Amino acid sequence: MKHSLAYLTFALSLAFAVAPFFSGDFAGFASDMLPNPQINPPVQPAGYAFAIWGPIYLWLIASSIYGVMYRKDDTDWDAARLPLCISLAVGVPWLLIAQVSVIWATITIFIMAGAAIAALIRSPVQDRWWVRGPVGLYAGWLTAASFVSLATTLAGYNIGFDSYGWAIAGIIAALTVAIATYRRVESSTYIVAVVWALVGICVANGMANFVVTALAITGIVILLCVMAMQAPRTPRTLS
């Protein structure tokens, strides 16, 4: 149907935002969900960092309302809407999934992150702060969160490294994806979200887990340098 993607995006954005009221908040997997309980895993940001979901929810809803009102027929918007709708559709029940199965929660959050990154890459330059802004913030946080979930799950099942080894691997993997994504599409909000997660990891670990904290700080510096180096430069003119 005509305009269906615009209205579907609005409906899913709204459903995604209200889902926590029915399924409860999430700040990490319960320790008893894993064979090797992960109590405050070092890869997980401090609890306050999850407050980023507030701006994400509100901005996605505002974006979808703007899209319905002014960009219903815009094919450039539709290119981003399709993968965004896939991500949001998986995200609506995600909190319930995360309370039942760590493995399925990890699988589904990677689907959410992949679709969100695809939406970001397809987002139009026009109306930058109505599309690329909110989708970038959403995709950036999911990039970090997906590797937090993976590292916690692997450590919890005693696969390969311990929790500190997987924290290091998870941070490196998230940085790699973040840099590759930013090279494809310049989105400051995407980098801000990943940096926000890394700051949360620093706060959670402090000096007690110095190696993890140092790696997170290094990651922040690298991401800021990548963003600065790739920023468009305005040519100087002589007056």
Side-chain angles (χ1 to χ4, degrees):
M1 293 177 60
K2 194 176 182 181
H3 314 323
S4 60
L5 269 180
Y7 289 109
L8 180 61
T9 304
F10 168 69
L12 287 172
S13 298
L14 193 60
F16 186 55
V18 302
F21 291 100
F22 298 95
S23 52
D25 295 328
F26 179 81
F29 298 120
S31 59
D32 59 359
M33 293 178 69
L34 292 160
N36 178 24
Q38 297 295 294
I39 302 172
N40 298 321
V43 73
Q44 183 170 297
Y48 79 88
F50 291 84
I52 194 175
W53 279 114
I56 290 173
Y57 291 141
L58 293 175
W59 208 352
L60 286 174
I61 291 172
S63 171
S64 65
I65 292 173
Y66 181 90
V68 166
M69 293 178 63
Y70 302 109
R71 297 290 185 267
K72 288 193 293 288
D73 298 319
D74 196 309
T75 55
D76 290 335
W77 274 62
D78 282 347
R81 282 176 178 138
L82 182 57
L84 179 60
C85 283
I86 293 172
S87 180
L88 294 174
V90 176
V92 171
W94 189 85
L95 289 172
L96 293 174
I97 296 171
Q99 295 172 25
V100 175
S101 171
V102 173
I103 293 175
W104 278 109
T106 301
I107 292 171
T108 50
I109 200 170
F110 268 94
I111 294 172
M112 291 170 63
I117 289 173
L120 177 62
I121 291 172
R122 296 182 180 188
S123 62
V125 176
Q126 181 190 21
D127 302 320
R128 187 182 187 92
W129 293 104
W130 285 111
V131 188
R132 189 166 294 182
V135 174
L137 197 67
Y138 174 57
W141 179 256
L142 285 177
T143 297
S146 58
F147 286 102
V148 169
S149 180
L150 180 61
T152 303
T153 300
L154 292 173
Y157 278 92
N158 294 303
I159 298 173
F161 310 124
D162 61 9
S163 60
Y164 296 100
W166 278 120
I168 292 170
I171 292 171
I172 293 173
L175 285 171
T176 301
V177 173
I179 292 170
T181 300
Y182 190 76
R183 298 280 300 214
R184 288 288 305 275
V185 54
E186 293 180 16
S187 169
S188 58
T189 56
Y190 178 82
I191 295 296
V192 164
V194 179
V195 167
W196 176 262
L198 292 172
V199 171
I201 291 174
C202 292
V203 172
N205 286 276
M207 295 302 294
N209 298 322
F210 177 75
V211 173
V212 175
T213 300
L215 179 60
I217 292 173
T218 302
I220 292 169
V221 173
I222 290 172
L223 289 177
L224 294 179
C225 288
V226 168
M227 188 165 62
M229 290 172 62
Q230 198 163 323
R233 289 174 170 77
T234 303
R236 302 176 64 180
T237 57
L238 299 175
S239 56

